[in-house]
Amino acid sequence: MTTHTIGIIMNGVTGRMGTNQHLLRSIAAIRQQGGVKLSADEVIMPDPILVGRNEAKLKDLCERSGVDKYTTDLDSVMSDPQYQVYFDAQVTGRRATAVKKAIEAGKHIYCEKPTGTSVAEAMELYELAEKAGIKHGVVQDKLWLPGMLKLKRLMENDFFGEILSVRGEFGYWVFEGHSVPAQRPSWNYRKEDDGGIIVDMLCHWRYVLDNLFGNVKSVSCLGATHIAERIDEQGNPYKCTADDACYATFELEGGVIAQFNSSWTTRVRRDDLLTLHVDGTKGSAVAGLRECVTQHYGNTPKPVWNPDIKQPIDFFDGWSKVPEQEVFDNAFKAQWELFLKHIVKDTPFPWGLKEGAKGVQLAELGIESWEKRCWVDVEAL
């Protein structure tokens, strides 16, 4: 058996996303399954070291994940040739400095989004990585969600005909903390700490739209800070300075119109925390995180407007659930495995730092649109 051992510096894994999705459900799960299998006699085995500022949290994470190495000294591992990959899941404001250090040290880069606090910063990382000749990738996890993959299969089989529009609904009620404790970190609601739902979610919607429905040509966006005060982790009230809701419309290449509502101030009455409703000339589909339902042209009801009688049509009735035709893995783990194959075998991996910069660009333009109250074109980077 040939084993390719890949040392990975994992920085910022004590946060919610870093712990659950990247460490426990991705790297630890890959190790537990015996690595990434390339063939009957060849595997890739990740060899992580956890990096952070809180030694107690790192030690606890090692025990939970089965990882046996951690450090609070990032510089010491940056200079260690045993580690070929640097992964960053820190808060956005700390990312660029650490990624630059890793590029200078010759490490391959894999990091969370947003990749920078501005397009200029995000593009600088891309240009530095290209100049250094290292491999790089950005987390674009929603492309591997079962619901999104089912949508993709429908498109590959021309289920929709000509796609006309996409309507995305994302979000849920994040408690303010006055009585019920909040379920998201307080920095998300402070602009000075790089918080805000536009910066967070428009990065996601950029790669979802670009990869599934067509490149984004222009954006019209309205943000809002609906909740003025929340309670932080220490129990202290703080003023919310970042947007907690975003209402955006996008024009895509090919004429598709997309609308996305993103909100941490909404109560869910839909199939999932994220739903995408796709309408086409031949049929429609609604995808959540895992499930997807369809309605073909031949099954489309013919309603007539009459508010004086009870609606005779059950509009949920005419939809069919897409059957489970494939086995889907954790979305973060699926992309990790592709990136590790890219490192070892140089297989294609198009989701690099430039794609991450495109997400930052759309968030920046969304904020510009909100401030100017106008449509803004999305130029090619």
Side-chain angles (χ1 to χ4, degrees):
M1 175 69 74
T2 301
T3 301
H4 304 276
T5 302
I6 301 295
I8 306 173
I9 301 165
M10 301 192 73
N11 192 8
V13 289
T14 54
R16 178 177 54 94
M17 193 71 78
T19 294
N20 294 322
Q21 297 293 2
H22 291 291
L23 179 58
L24 298 179
R25 296 172 195 164
S26 294
I27 295 301
I30 290 169
R31 284 160 58 84
Q32 288 161 9
Q33 75 184 17
V36 180
K37 190 174 182 180
L38 299 174
S39 66
D41 55 3
E42 191 176 11
V43 298
I44 304 169
M45 181 58 72
D47 177 28
I49 183 167
L50 310 187
V51 181
R53 293 171 294 166
N54 188 315
E55 187 170 357
K57 285 185 178 180
L58 291 170
K59 190 174 181 180
D60 176 64
L61 272 182
C62 281
E63 291 173 2
R64 290 171 60 193
S65 64
V67 173
D68 55 7
K69 292 175 291 185
Y70 70 88
T71 183
T72 56
D73 183 2
L74 178 60
D75 290 339
S76 68
V77 285
M78 283 290 198
S79 59
D80 191 337
Q82 178 182 347
Y83 301 103
Q84 304 101 304
V85 175
Y86 173 75
F87 169 70
D88 193 293
Q90 299 182 95
V91 294
T92 307
R94 295 197 187 100
R95 185 158 298 134
T97 301
V99 169
K100 283 180 191 176
K101 273 189 181 181
I103 293 171
E104 289 170 7
K107 309 297 183 188
H108 302 301
I109 303 298
Y110 189 56
C111 68
E112 263 291 355
K113 58 96 209 133
T115 54
T117 56
S118 67
V119 176
E121 187 174 75
M123 281 299 289
E124 183 189 10
L125 295 182
Y126 164 69
E127 288 158 3
L128 288 171
E130 286 290 291
K131 187 176 180 181
I134 54 101
K135 292 176 178 176
H136 49 88
V138 175
V139 178
Q140 306 206 321
D141 54 286
K142 287 176 176 53
L143 296 178
W144 288 273
L145 287 170
M148 300 304 111
L149 289 171
K150 289 172 184 176
L151 271 183
K152 189 177 179 182
R153 297 292 179 261
L154 292 170
M155 294 168 68
E156 289 168 350
N157 288 282
D158 195 31
F159 171 82
F160 295 103
E162 179 190 352
I163 293 179
L164 307 173
S165 63
V166 180
R167 191 165 66 254
E169 290 284 345
F170 166 80
Y172 46 93
W173 187 269
V174 175
F175 285 92
E176 308 91 319
H178 295 95
S179 53
V180 179
Q183 70 268 44
R184 286 182 63 86
S186 60
W187 68 263
N188 285 279
Y189 307 96
R190 292 190 294 265
K191 192 175 183 66
E192 58 272 25
D193 292 332
D194 304 309
I197 202 165
I198 294 177
V199 168
D200 191 348
M201 297 315 301
L202 260 61
C203 293
H204 282 296
W205 307 150
R206 178 69 189 267
Y207 70 72
V208 168
L209 292 171
D210 278 3
N211 282 271
L212 289 179
F213 304 106
N215 293 330
V216 180
K217 289 173 52 182
S218 59
V219 56
S220 171
C221 180
L222 176 67
T225 306
H226 289 307
I227 304 296
E229 181 187 271
R230 294 178 181 269
I231 305 298
D232 68 16
E233 290 77 4
Q234 287 72 46
N236 300 315
Y238 67 94
K239 182 181 177 182
C240 299
T241 53
D243 40 286
D244 54 22
C246 164
Y247 311 92
T249 304
F250 310 96
E251 288 184 313
L252 311 184
E253 285 181 356
V256 177
I257 304 299
Q259 297 169 286
F260 273 81
N261 292 329
S262 311
S263 176
W264 289 318
T265 57
T266 185
R267 295 175 179 87
V268 180
R269 193 179 190 273
R270 54 184 185 272
D271 294 333
D272 214 329
L273 298 184
L274 166 66
T275 57
L276 254 62
H277 185 126
V278 183
D279 285 317
T281 53
K282 291 183 179 179
S284 299
V286 180
L289 301 180
R290 303 195 63 83
E291 304 296 342
C292 182
V293 294
T294 62
Q295 185 173 93
H296 193 264
Y297 188 94
N299 296 331
T300 303
K302 190 177 181 180
V304 176
W305 177 261
N306 186 350
D308 297 322
I309 63 170
K310 182 181 177 181
Q311 177 54 247
I313 302 172
D314 182 347
F315 290 110
F316 289 98
D317 218 20
W319 295 80
S320 302
K321 184 179 173 182
V322 174
E324 298 298 319
Q325 299 167 323
E326 302 171 72
V327 176
F328 299 107
D329 209 341
N330 175 280
F332 290 84
K333 178 172 175 277
Q335 193 180 4
W336 261 109
E337 292 189 350
L338 289 173
F339 185 69
L340 291 172
K341 289 177 182 177
H342 177 58
I343 296 295
V344 173
K345 292 295 186 180
D346 202 30
T347 50
F349 193 88
W351 309 282
L353 284 166
K354 190 173 184 180
E355 294 303 300
K358 288 180 182 178
V360 178
Q361 178 195 32
L362 189 61
E364 257 190 21
L365 295 177
I367 292 170
E368 180 184 339
S369 169
W370 176 19
E371 290 173 345
K372 293 181 176 178
R373 303 181 72 81
C374 68
W375 279 91
V376 178
D377 290 336
V378 180
E379 304 293 340
L381 288 178

